[in-house]
Amino acid sequence: MLGKEISQAVIGRLPRYFRYLGELKDNGVERISSQELSELMQVTASQIRQDFNNFGGFGQQGYGYNVEYLYNEIGKILGLDTIHSFVIIGAGNLGTALGNYLNFERRGFVFRGIFDQNPALIGNLVRGIPVRSMEELPGFLRENEIEIAVLTIPKTGALGLVDTLVECGIKGIWNFAHVDLDVPEGVQVENVHLSDSLMKLSYNISSQNAGKE
Amino acid sequence: MLGKEISQAVIGRLPRYFRYLGELKDNGVERISSQELSELMQVTASQIRQDFNNFGGFGQQGYGYNVEYLYNEIGKILGLDTIHSFVIIGAGNLGTALGNYLNFERRGFVFRGIFDQNPALIGNLVRGIPVRSMEELPGFLRENEIEIAVLTIPKTGALGLVDTLVECGIKGIWNFAHVDLDVPEGVQVENVHLSDSLMKLSYNISSQNAGKE
DNA sequence: TAGATTGTTAATCGATTAACAATC
DNA sequence: TAGATTGTTAATCGATTAACAATC
C-alpha cells in the first residue's frame, strides 16, 4: 500500500459501501455506475467516485464498476480478507451479547476468549467458551496472539487495563467503556459510546419538538 | 429556542463535553477556562468556545466557565432535563443487555417495555419487565406514549416495523439493525452499526500494519 | 485598573460537489 | 465510432483554527 493518508471520513463510509455492494452482489447485480449507486445510497456520485479513487481506480469508463470486484476490493481495504482474533473483557450482558453475535465471524472476526473478574461468572459458557479469570488474561493474550480486545467493563477497570493489553501485543481496542483511552502510537482504539449515541438521539428529538430541522 | 441550525458535528461533541464536565463537577471543580478544558480533552480551545457559542454565551470574560452551570446547560441542550420513555424491540442478547443497562435511567431514559416475536422468550423478565409479544406492541406504544424505540432485531424485521412505529407516535429510533431506515420527516434515527464500527477498527489496524499513520 | 478570558470575526484548512477531459 | 461513465482537476462549501476586540 502506498503512503497516502486516507481521511477517517472516507474510512467511515467504506463499511456502508461494503454493505450495499454485498446486497447488490447477493441480488445478482453484476455492474453498477456511480450514478445508480448514488441514487440507492443517497449520496452524491461525485463522492462515491472520489472515495473509491482514494484507493486506485476500481471502475472502467463507459462501463461503471463491477459489483463483485468492487465488493471484494473494499473488503480487502477494510482488512476483511484476513482473520482477526478477539477476546472480550467483561462477561456482563453486553460482553455476552457480543460474544454470541455470529455475524462478526462471517467477516473474519473470531471470538477466542472472554474474561471477567467476578468469580461467580467464571466457568460460564459463552458460545461454548468458558469465562476465564482476569489473572489468566495476560498469558492467554500472549499465547494466542490475540489482535483485538473488546472492552465491556466499567471505565475504571478499562483505564487500568490498557497498559497490560498493549504489553501483551493487542493491536486494537474496541472500547465500550464510557471513557477515553490513552494508548501508545500503533495501537488503535474504536469507541462505541452508547450513551453518547443515545444523547444525540435525545437532542435531535428535542430540537425537532422545538420546531427545528 | 431560536431557529438556528446546529451542525451534527457540534451535536456529536456535546455528550463528550457533558461527560468531562460531569467528572469535573464530581471532583469539586468550580470553574474552568476553555484553555484548561482544551488540554484535558485534547481539542482546541477555539473549538470549545465556538461550540458553546452556538447555544449562546455560557462563560464570562476573565473568568471562564462555571462547571456546574455549563454542565446543566449542556444537559438541557441534549434534552436530559426531561424523561424519555423507551421500549426495546428484540429480546435477544443485545436487547436484554440494553434493558439491563442502568446508566440510561440516570440520564432520564426510562425502560418501559420489551418485545419479541419468539414465543419462547415471552414472559421472561428483563429488569422486572416481562417480554411481550409483537402483537401487543402497537397498543402498548399508544397507551404509554412511548417516545423511543430501540431496534435490536434483524434487518428484515426492522424494515417492516418502521411504519407501525411511526403510526404509533414514536419520535426516535435507536437502530442497532444493520440496515438504513427510511422514516418520515420529524422522526429521528440514530444508528449504532456495530459491525461497521468493527470494520473501521479492522481498517485502522491493517493500515497501521502497512506502515501508515 | 490590569489581567484574563470570553465571544466573535477573519483566515485557513479540509471535505464535498461540480465539471470535464480521458477513455473504455 | 458514438455514448457512457470514470478518474481527476477545479470550485464551492462547511468546519476548524487563529486572532483580537469586548468585557468581566
Side-chain angles (χ1 to χ4, degrees):
Chain A
M1 237 175 247
L2 296 106
K4 41 177 177 169
E5 189 73 44
I6 313 291
S7 85
Q8 288 295 314
V10 175
I11 306 310
R13 285 192 291 266
L14 291 181
R16 188 156 178 266
Y17 290 130
F18 188 71
R19 174 153 50 90
Y20 274 84
L21 289 165
E23 276 166 21
L24 288 166
K25 182 173 76 75
D26 291 345
N27 292 335
V29 178
E30 238 175 55
R31 50 173 277 202
I32 195 161
S33 69
S34 58
Q35 180 58 39
E36 291 167 301
L37 193 56
S38 111
E39 283 158 21
L40 203 60
M41 295 184 64
Q42 304 279 32
V43 296
T44 65
S46 213
Q47 180 165 76
I48 291 173
R49 295 203 298 277
Q50 287 278 23
D51 282 351
F52 293 167
N53 270 76
N54 278 298
F55 306 96
F58 295 143
Q60 198 169 68
Q61 284 99 329
Y63 172 86
Y65 300 88
N66 178 286
V67 170
E68 186 162 6
Y69 174 72
L70 185 56
Y71 173 81
N72 288 329
E73 288 303 309
I74 292 178
K76 280 187 216 164
I77 292 165
L78 288 169
L80 305 181
D81 55 338
T82 55
I83 297 295
H84 303 277
S85 58
F86 70 90
V87 299
I88 295 170
I89 303 173
N93 288 295
L94 184 57
T96 305
L98 294 173
N100 279 303
Y101 197 60
L102 294 162
N103 276 357
F104 300 150
E105 208 101 5
R106 262 179 52 218
R107 301 291 175 224
F109 299 94
V110 183
F111 172 44
R112 298 288 298 284
I114 179 162
F115 297 82
D116 204 289
Q117 62 168 6
N118 181 353
L121 296 177
I122 291 168
N124 281 2
L125 292 184
V126 178
R127 200 132 62 86
I129 294 183
V131 176
R132 291 184 172 84
S133 78
M134 292 299 286
E135 281 70 38
E136 296 178 66
L137 181 63
F140 188 95
L141 294 179
R142 285 212 179 85
E143 277 160 37
N144 295 279
E145 295 186 358
I146 302 297
E147 188 179 55
I148 295 169
V150 182
L151 295 190
T152 53
I153 50 177
K155 59 184 175 184
T156 43
L159 284 171
L161 208 51
V162 169
D163 286 350
T164 304
L165 296 175
V166 172
E167 279 163 26
C168 294
I170 286 292
K171 294 283 175 285
I173 297 176
W174 201 21
N175 178 39
F176 288 76
H178 202 210
V179 67
D180 297 322
L181 301 179
D182 197 20
V183 296
E185 185 134 347
V187 176
Q188 309 300 320
V189 175
E190 170 77 19
N191 292 306
V192 180
H193 290 332
L194 292 178
S195 55
D196 288 15
S197 170
L198 189 51
M199 287 181 196
K200 266 196 280 175
L201 179 59
S202 170
Y203 171 86
N204 284 320
I205 292 171
S206 306
S207 72
Q208 173 66 35
N209 290 346
K212 292 204 293 181
E213 209 167 291
Chain B
M1 238 176 244
L2 296 106
K4 41 178 177 171
E5 190 72 45
I6 313 293
S7 86
Q8 287 296 312
V10 175
I11 306 310
R13 286 192 291 266
L14 291 182
R16 188 156 178 266
Y17 290 129
F18 187 72
R19 175 153 49 90
Y20 275 85
L21 289 164
E23 276 164 23
L24 288 166
K25 182 174 75 79
D26 291 346
N27 292 335
V29 179
E30 239 176 57
R31 50 172 274 201
I32 196 162
S33 69
S34 57
Q35 180 58 39
E36 292 168 301
L37 193 55
S38 114
E39 282 158 22
L40 202 61
M41 296 184 64
Q42 305 279 31
V43 296
T44 64
S46 215
Q47 179 164 77
I48 291 173
R49 295 203 298 277
Q50 287 278 25
D51 282 352
F52 293 168
N53 270 76
N54 279 298
F55 306 97
F58 295 143
Q60 197 170 69
Q61 283 99 329
Y63 172 86
Y65 299 88
N66 178 287
V67 170
E68 185 162 9
Y69 174 72
L70 186 55
Y71 172 81
N72 288 330
E73 288 302 309
I74 293 178
K76 281 187 215 165
I77 292 166
L78 288 168
L80 305 181
D81 54 339
T82 54
I83 297 294
H84 302 276
S85 57
F86 71 89
V87 298
I88 295 170
I89 302 174
N93 287 295
L94 183 57
T96 305
L98 294 174
N100 279 304
Y101 198 60
L102 294 163
N103 275 358
F104 300 150
E105 207 102 5
R106 260 181 52 219
R107 300 293 175 221
F109 299 95
V110 182
F111 173 44
R112 298 288 298 284
I114 179 163
F115 297 83
D116 204 288
Q117 61 169 7
N118 183 352
L121 297 177
I122 291 169
N124 281 3
L125 291 185
V126 178
R127 199 133 62 88
I129 293 183
V131 177
R132 291 186 172 82
S133 77
M134 291 301 283
E135 281 70 39
E136 297 177 66
L137 180 64
F140 188 94
L141 295 178
R142 285 212 180 85
E143 277 159 40
N144 295 278
E145 294 186 356
I146 301 298
E147 188 180 55
I148 295 170
V150 182
L151 294 189
T152 54
I153 51 175
K155 58 183 173 184
T156 43
L159 285 172
L161 207 52
V162 170
D163 286 351
T164 304
L165 296 175
V166 171
E167 279 163 27
C168 296
I170 285 293
K171 294 283 175 285
I173 298 175
W174 202 20
N175 178 39
F176 288 77
H178 202 211
V179 67
D180 296 323
L181 301 180
D182 196 20
V183 296
E185 183 134 348
V187 176
Q188 310 299 319
V189 176
E190 171 76 19
N191 291 307
V192 180
H193 290 332
L194 292 178
S195 55
D196 288 14
S197 170
L198 189 51
M199 289 181 195
K200 264 194 284 176
L201 179 59
S202 171
Y203 171 88
N204 284 321
I205 291 171
S206 306
S207 71
Q208 173 64 36
N209 289 346
K212 295 202 294 182
E213 203 167 298

mmCIF file of all heavy atoms in Angstrom, chain A residues 7 13 44 46-47 49-50 60-61, chain C residues 15-20 22-24:
data_model
loop_
_atom_site.group_PDB
_atom_site.id
_atom_site.type_symbol
_atom_site.label_atom_id
_atom_site.label_comp_id
_atom_site.label_asym_id
_atom_site.label_seq_id
_atom_site.Cartn_x
_atom_site.Cartn_y
_atom_site.Cartn_z
ATOM 1 N N SER A 7 -8.534 9.915 4.873
ATOM 2 C CA SER A 7 -9.227 10.557 5.990
ATOM 3 C C SER A 7 -10.229 9.595 6.622
ATOM 4 O O SER A 7 -10.801 8.743 5.958
ATOM 5 C CB SER A 7 -9.936 11.820 5.519
ATOM 6 O OG SER A 7 -11.204 11.500 5.001
ATOM 7 N N ARG A 13 -17.110 5.691 5.669
ATOM 8 C CA ARG A 13 -18.149 5.368 4.671
ATOM 9 C C ARG A 13 -17.934 4.006 4.034
ATOM 10 O O ARG A 13 -18.850 3.445 3.430
ATOM 11 C CB ARG A 13 -18.170 6.458 3.589
ATOM 12 C CG ARG A 13 -18.807 7.759 4.051
ATOM 13 C CD ARG A 13 -19.065 8.694 2.893
ATOM 14 N NE ARG A 13 -17.856 9.234 2.303
ATOM 15 C CZ ARG A 13 -17.305 10.397 2.634
ATOM 16 N NH1 ARG A 13 -17.858 11.139 3.559
ATOM 17 N NH2 ARG A 13 -16.218 10.810 2.041
ATOM 18 N N THR A 44 -23.826 11.643 -3.130
ATOM 19 C CA THR A 44 -23.546 12.106 -4.493
ATOM 20 C C THR A 44 -22.629 11.121 -5.218
ATOM 21 O O THR A 44 -21.783 10.467 -4.609
ATOM 22 C CB THR A 44 -22.875 13.492 -4.503
ATOM 23 O OG1 THR A 44 -21.597 13.377 -3.890
ATOM 24 C CG2 THR A 44 -23.715 14.534 -3.777
ATOM 25 N N SER A 46 -20.398 11.943 -7.179
ATOM 26 C CA SER A 46 -19.073 12.537 -7.090
ATOM 27 C C SER A 46 -18.324 12.019 -5.869
ATOM 28 O O SER A 46 -17.146 11.657 -5.945
ATOM 29 C CB SER A 46 -19.231 14.057 -7.008
ATOM 30 O OG SER A 46 -18.177 14.719 -7.638
ATOM 31 N N GLN A 47 -19.039 11.973 -4.764
ATOM 32 C CA GLN A 47 -18.408 11.486 -3.542
ATOM 33 C C GLN A 47 -18.008 10.017 -3.670
ATOM 34 O O GLN A 47 -16.919 9.621 -3.249
ATOM 35 C CB GLN A 47 -19.354 11.650 -2.354
ATOM 36 C CG GLN A 47 -18.742 11.159 -1.053
ATOM 37 C CD GLN A 47 -19.499 11.643 0.150
ATOM 38 O OE1 GLN A 47 -20.564 11.154 0.488
ATOM 39 N NE2 GLN A 47 -18.946 12.634 0.803
ATOM 40 N N ARG A 49 -17.196 8.390 -6.389
ATOM 41 C CA ARG A 49 -16.003 8.243 -7.247
ATOM 42 C C ARG A 49 -14.750 8.741 -6.534
ATOM 43 O O ARG A 49 -13.680 8.119 -6.606
ATOM 44 C CB ARG A 49 -16.211 8.984 -8.568
ATOM 45 C CG ARG A 49 -17.316 8.380 -9.407
ATOM 46 C CD ARG A 49 -17.173 8.711 -10.888
ATOM 47 N NE ARG A 49 -17.245 10.127 -11.193
ATOM 48 C CZ ARG A 49 -18.387 10.799 -11.342
ATOM 49 N NH1 ARG A 49 -19.558 10.204 -11.226
ATOM 50 N NH2 ARG A 49 -18.367 12.095 -11.624
ATOM 51 N N GLN A 50 -14.889 9.865 -5.823
ATOM 52 C CA GLN A 50 -13.753 10.371 -5.050
ATOM 53 C C GLN A 50 -13.314 9.360 -3.990
ATOM 54 O O GLN A 50 -12.129 9.117 -3.810
ATOM 55 C CB GLN A 50 -14.126 11.685 -4.351
ATOM 56 C CG GLN A 50 -14.226 12.872 -5.270
ATOM 57 C CD GLN A 50 -12.885 13.498 -5.580
ATOM 58 O OE1 GLN A 50 -11.849 12.857 -5.486
ATOM 59 N NE2 GLN A 50 -12.895 14.757 -5.963
ATOM 60 N N GLN A 60 -14.360 1.434 -14.698
ATOM 61 C CA GLN A 60 -13.959 1.467 -16.105
ATOM 62 C C GLN A 60 -14.863 2.486 -16.795
ATOM 63 O O GLN A 60 -16.091 2.404 -16.677
ATOM 64 C CB GLN A 60 -14.176 0.084 -16.701
ATOM 65 C CG GLN A 60 -13.429 -0.156 -17.970
ATOM 66 C CD GLN A 60 -13.489 -1.615 -18.348
ATOM 67 O OE1 GLN A 60 -14.531 -2.133 -18.693
ATOM 68 N NE2 GLN A 60 -12.349 -2.297 -18.292
ATOM 69 N N GLN A 61 -14.241 3.406 -17.523
ATOM 70 C CA GLN A 61 -15.040 4.420 -18.197
ATOM 71 C C GLN A 61 -16.048 3.790 -19.151
ATOM 72 O O GLN A 61 -15.744 2.833 -19.841
ATOM 73 C CB GLN A 61 -14.156 5.385 -18.990
ATOM 74 C CG GLN A 61 -13.424 6.392 -18.126
ATOM 75 C CD GLN A 61 -12.002 6.000 -17.841
ATOM 76 O OE1 GLN A 61 -11.706 4.805 -17.772
ATOM 77 N NE2 GLN A 61 -11.140 6.975 -17.683
ATOM 78 P P DA C 15 -10.603 15.953 5.324
ATOM 79 O OP1 DA C 15 -10.026 15.066 6.341
ATOM 80 O OP2 DA C 15 -10.113 15.897 3.935
ATOM 81 O "O5'" DA C 15 -12.170 15.765 5.304
ATOM 82 C "C5'" DA C 15 -13.024 16.767 5.818
ATOM 83 C "C4'" DA C 15 -14.168 17.029 4.869
ATOM 84 O "O4'" DA C 15 -13.843 18.147 3.997
ATOM 85 C "C3'" DA C 15 -14.524 15.879 3.942
ATOM 86 O "O3'" DA C 15 -15.935 15.842 3.859
ATOM 87 C "C2'" DA C 15 -13.881 16.281 2.611
ATOM 88 C "C1'" DA C 15 -14.132 17.785 2.661
ATOM 89 N N9 DA C 15 -13.293 18.606 1.799
ATOM 90 C C8 DA C 15 -11.943 18.511 1.595
ATOM 91 N N7 DA C 15 -11.474 19.418 0.766
ATOM 92 C C5 DA C 15 -12.593 20.146 0.410
ATOM 93 C C6 DA C 15 -12.770 21.255 -0.447
ATOM 94 N N6 DA C 15 -11.764 21.833 -1.112
ATOM 95 N N1 DA C 15 -14.015 21.748 -0.591
ATOM 96 C C2 DA C 15 -15.012 21.164 0.085
ATOM 97 N N3 DA C 15 -14.976 20.124 0.916
ATOM 98 C C4 DA C 15 -13.717 19.657 1.032
ATOM 99 P P DT C 16 -16.725 14.595 3.238
ATOM 100 O OP1 DT C 16 -17.542 14.030 4.328
ATOM 101 O OP2 DT C 16 -15.794 13.765 2.453
ATOM 102 O "O5'" DT C 16 -17.706 15.306 2.215
ATOM 103 C "C5'" DT C 16 -18.366 16.505 2.581
ATOM 104 C "C4'" DT C 16 -18.756 17.242 1.327
ATOM 105 O "O4'" DT C 16 -17.584 17.823 0.713
ATOM 106 C "C3'" DT C 16 -19.421 16.392 0.250
ATOM 107 O "O3'" DT C 16 -20.696 16.961 0.010
ATOM 108 C "C2'" DT C 16 -18.457 16.460 -0.940
ATOM 109 C "C1'" DT C 16 -17.748 17.782 -0.693
ATOM 110 N N1 DT C 16 -16.387 17.948 -1.279
ATOM 111 C C2 DT C 16 -16.150 19.030 -2.112
ATOM 112 O O2 DT C 16 -17.009 19.832 -2.414
ATOM 113 N N3 DT C 16 -14.864 19.122 -2.587
ATOM 114 C C4 DT C 16 -13.805 18.262 -2.317
ATOM 115 O O4 DT C 16 -12.696 18.460 -2.796
ATOM 116 C C5 DT C 16 -14.111 17.162 -1.423
ATOM 117 C C7 DT C 16 -13.039 16.191 -1.064
ATOM 118 C C6 DT C 16 -15.369 17.059 -0.955
ATOM 119 P P DT C 17 -21.732 16.340 -1.013
ATOM 120 O OP1 DT C 17 -23.074 16.642 -0.502
ATOM 121 O OP2 DT C 17 -21.320 14.955 -1.324
ATOM 122 O "O5'" DT C 17 -21.490 17.237 -2.301
ATOM 123 C "C5'" DT C 17 -21.638 18.641 -2.211
ATOM 124 C "C4'" DT C 17 -21.255 19.263 -3.535
ATOM 125 O "O4'" DT C 17 -19.834 19.132 -3.738
ATOM 126 C "C3'" DT C 17 -21.933 18.635 -4.755
ATOM 127 O "O3'" DT C 17 -22.600 19.677 -5.440
ATOM 128 C "C2'" DT C 17 -20.770 17.991 -5.541
ATOM 129 C "C1'" DT C 17 -19.590 18.843 -5.094
ATOM 130 N N1 DT C 17 -18.239 18.206 -5.130
ATOM 131 C C2 DT C 17 -17.209 18.878 -5.753
ATOM 132 O O2 DT C 17 -17.347 19.950 -6.305
ATOM 133 N N3 DT C 17 -16.003 18.236 -5.709
ATOM 134 C C4 DT C 17 -15.720 17.019 -5.112
ATOM 135 O O4 DT C 17 -14.583 16.567 -5.146
ATOM 136 C C5 DT C 17 -16.841 16.367 -4.470
ATOM 137 C C7 DT C 17 -16.640 15.047 -3.793
ATOM 138 C C6 DT C 17 -18.033 16.982 -4.504
ATOM 139 P P DA C 18 -23.375 19.442 -6.816
ATOM 140 O OP1 DA C 18 -24.550 20.338 -6.817
ATOM 141 O OP2 DA C 18 -23.536 17.992 -7.020
ATOM 142 O "O5'" DA C 18 -22.336 20.006 -7.886
ATOM 143 C "C5'" DA C 18 -21.698 21.243 -7.634
ATOM 144 C "C4'" DA C 18 -20.829 21.613 -8.813
ATOM 145 O "O4'" DA C 18 -19.555 20.932 -8.719
ATOM 146 C "C3'" DA C 18 -21.410 21.229 -10.172
ATOM 147 O "O3'" DA C 18 -21.119 22.315 -11.052
ATOM 148 C "C2'" DA C 18 -20.661 19.934 -10.538
ATOM 149 C "C1'" DA C 18 -19.304 20.195 -9.895
ATOM 150 N N9 DA C 18 -18.545 19.029 -9.467
ATOM 151 C C8 DA C 18 -19.004 17.948 -8.755
ATOM 152 N N7 DA C 18 -18.065 17.064 -8.479
ATOM 153 C C5 DA C 18 -16.915 17.608 -9.042
ATOM 154 C C6 DA C 18 -15.588 17.147 -9.099
ATOM 155 N N6 DA C 18 -15.174 16.006 -8.548
ATOM 156 N N1 DA C 18 -14.684 17.924 -9.753
ATOM 157 C C2 DA C 18 -15.099 19.077 -10.291
ATOM 158 N N3 DA C 18 -16.331 19.612 -10.296
ATOM 159 C C4 DA C 18 -17.196 18.813 -9.655
ATOM 160 P P DA C 19 -21.529 22.278 -12.602
ATOM 161 O OP1 DA C 19 -21.870 23.666 -12.966
ATOM 162 O OP2 DA C 19 -22.473 21.162 -12.833
ATOM 163 O "O5'" DA C 19 -20.138 21.912 -13.293
ATOM 164 C "C5'" DA C 19 -18.993 22.705 -13.017
ATOM 165 C "C4'" DA C 19 -17.839 22.201 -13.869
ATOM 166 O "O4'" DA C 19 -17.304 20.988 -13.277
ATOM 167 C "C3'" DA C 19 -18.228 21.841 -15.304
ATOM 168 O "O3'" DA C 19 -17.203 22.305 -16.153
ATOM 169 C "C2'" DA C 19 -18.316 20.313 -15.280
ATOM 170 C "C1'" DA C 19 -17.243 19.972 -14.254
ATOM 171 N N9 DA C 19 -17.422 18.710 -13.554
ATOM 172 C C8 DA C 19 -18.577 18.132 -13.138
ATOM 173 N N7 DA C 19 -18.415 16.983 -12.514
ATOM 174 C C5 DA C 19 -17.050 16.802 -12.516
ATOM 175 C C6 DA C 19 -16.229 15.781 -12.004
ATOM 176 N N6 DA C 19 -16.701 14.706 -11.364
ATOM 177 N N1 DA C 19 -14.898 15.903 -12.184
ATOM 178 C C2 DA C 19 -14.422 16.992 -12.820
ATOM 179 N N3 DA C 19 -15.100 18.015 -13.346
ATOM 180 C C4 DA C 19 -16.419 17.845 -13.154
ATOM 181 P P DC C 20 -17.403 22.435 -17.731
ATOM 182 O OP1 DC C 20 -16.970 23.789 -18.094
ATOM 183 O OP2 DC C 20 -18.757 21.931 -18.097
ATOM 184 O "O5'" DC C 20 -16.326 21.398 -18.275
ATOM 185 C "C5'" DC C 20 -14.990 21.409 -17.760
ATOM 186 C "C4'" DC C 20 -14.317 20.107 -18.106
ATOM 187 O "O4'" DC C 20 -14.690 19.087 -17.152
ATOM 188 C "C3'" DC C 20 -14.724 19.543 -19.487
ATOM 189 O "O3'" DC C 20 -13.593 19.004 -20.117
ATOM 190 C "C2'" DC C 20 -15.687 18.436 -19.119
ATOM 191 C "C1'" DC C 20 -14.975 17.920 -17.878
ATOM 192 N N1 DC C 20 -15.743 16.980 -17.043
ATOM 193 C C2 DC C 20 -15.033 16.028 -16.286
ATOM 194 O O2 DC C 20 -13.798 16.019 -16.331
ATOM 195 N N3 DC C 20 -15.724 15.140 -15.537
ATOM 196 C C4 DC C 20 -17.057 15.182 -15.523
ATOM 197 N N4 DC C 20 -17.695 14.289 -14.765
ATOM 198 C C5 DC C 20 -17.789 16.137 -16.280
ATOM 199 C C6 DC C 20 -17.106 17.017 -17.010
ATOM 200 P P DA C 22 -7.800 15.303 -22.188
ATOM 201 O OP1 DA C 22 -6.328 15.494 -22.085
ATOM 202 O OP2 DA C 22 -8.481 15.389 -23.497
ATOM 203 O "O5'" DA C 22 -8.153 13.905 -21.515
ATOM 204 C "C5'" DA C 22 -7.488 13.522 -20.322
ATOM 205 C "C4'" DA C 22 -7.823 12.076 -20.025
ATOM 206 O "O4'" DA C 22 -9.258 11.937 -19.909
ATOM 207 C "C3'" DA C 22 -7.390 11.074 -21.100
ATOM 208 O "O3'" DA C 22 -6.856 9.936 -20.437
ATOM 209 C "C2'" DA C 22 -8.680 10.779 -21.863
ATOM 210 C "C1'" DA C 22 -9.724 10.908 -20.757
ATOM 211 N N9 DA C 22 -11.054 11.308 -21.201
ATOM 212 C C8 DA C 22 -11.379 12.319 -22.062
ATOM 213 N N7 DA C 22 -12.670 12.458 -22.255
ATOM 214 C C5 DA C 22 -13.235 11.468 -21.456
ATOM 215 C C6 DA C 22 -14.573 11.086 -21.221
ATOM 216 N N6 DA C 22 -15.621 11.690 -21.774
ATOM 217 N N1 DA C 22 -14.790 10.056 -20.381
ATOM 218 C C2 DA C 22 -13.730 9.451 -19.811
ATOM 219 N N3 DA C 22 -12.430 9.720 -19.955
ATOM 220 C C4 DA C 22 -12.259 10.752 -20.797
ATOM 221 P P DT C 23 -6.363 8.669 -21.189
ATOM 222 O OP1 DT C 23 -5.413 7.951 -20.320
ATOM 223 O OP2 DT C 23 -5.971 9.080 -22.556
ATOM 224 O "O5'" DT C 23 -7.682 7.796 -21.327
ATOM 225 C "C5'" DT C 23 -8.153 7.040 -20.232
ATOM 226 C "C4'" DT C 23 -9.312 6.214 -20.711
ATOM 227 O "O4'" DT C 23 -10.435 7.069 -21.047
ATOM 228 C "C3'" DT C 23 -9.024 5.409 -21.973
ATOM 229 O "O3'" DT C 23 -9.556 4.102 -21.827
ATOM 230 C "C2'" DT C 23 -9.780 6.153 -23.041
ATOM 231 C "C1'" DT C 23 -11.008 6.542 -22.197
ATOM 232 N N1 DT C 23 -11.915 7.513 -22.819
ATOM 233 C C2 DT C 23 -13.273 7.358 -22.598
ATOM 234 O O2 DT C 23 -13.738 6.469 -21.920
ATOM 235 N N3 DT C 23 -14.063 8.284 -23.221
ATOM 236 C C4 DT C 23 -13.637 9.336 -24.026
ATOM 237 O O4 DT C 23 -14.449 10.100 -24.518
ATOM 238 C C5 DT C 23 -12.204 9.444 -24.195
ATOM 239 C C7 DT C 23 -11.655 10.542 -25.046
ATOM 240 C C6 DT C 23 -11.430 8.537 -23.606
ATOM 241 P P DC C 24 -8.598 2.870 -21.377
ATOM 242 O OP1 DC C 24 -8.043 3.144 -20.065
ATOM 243 O OP2 DC C 24 -7.702 2.585 -22.537
ATOM 244 O "O5'" DC C 24 -9.640 1.656 -21.241
ATOM 245 C "C5'" DC C 24 -10.621 1.713 -20.206
ATOM 246 C "C4'" DC C 24 -11.995 1.471 -20.772
ATOM 247 O "O4'" DC C 24 -12.468 2.665 -21.426
ATOM 248 C "C3'" DC C 24 -12.061 0.384 -21.826
ATOM 249 O "O3'" DC C 24 -12.565 -0.803 -21.225
ATOM 250 C "C2'" DC C 24 -13.005 0.922 -22.901
ATOM 251 C "C1'" DC C 24 -13.458 2.275 -22.363
ATOM 252 N N1 DC C 24 -13.551 3.352 -23.389
ATOM 253 C C2 DC C 24 -14.790 3.963 -23.637
ATOM 254 O O2 DC C 24 -15.793 3.599 -23.017
ATOM 255 N N3 DC C 24 -14.870 4.942 -24.567
ATOM 256 C C4 DC C 24 -13.770 5.322 -25.220
ATOM 257 N N4 DC C 24 -13.898 6.307 -26.125
ATOM 258 C C5 DC C 24 -12.503 4.721 -24.978
ATOM 259 C C6 DC C 24 -12.436 3.744 -24.070
#
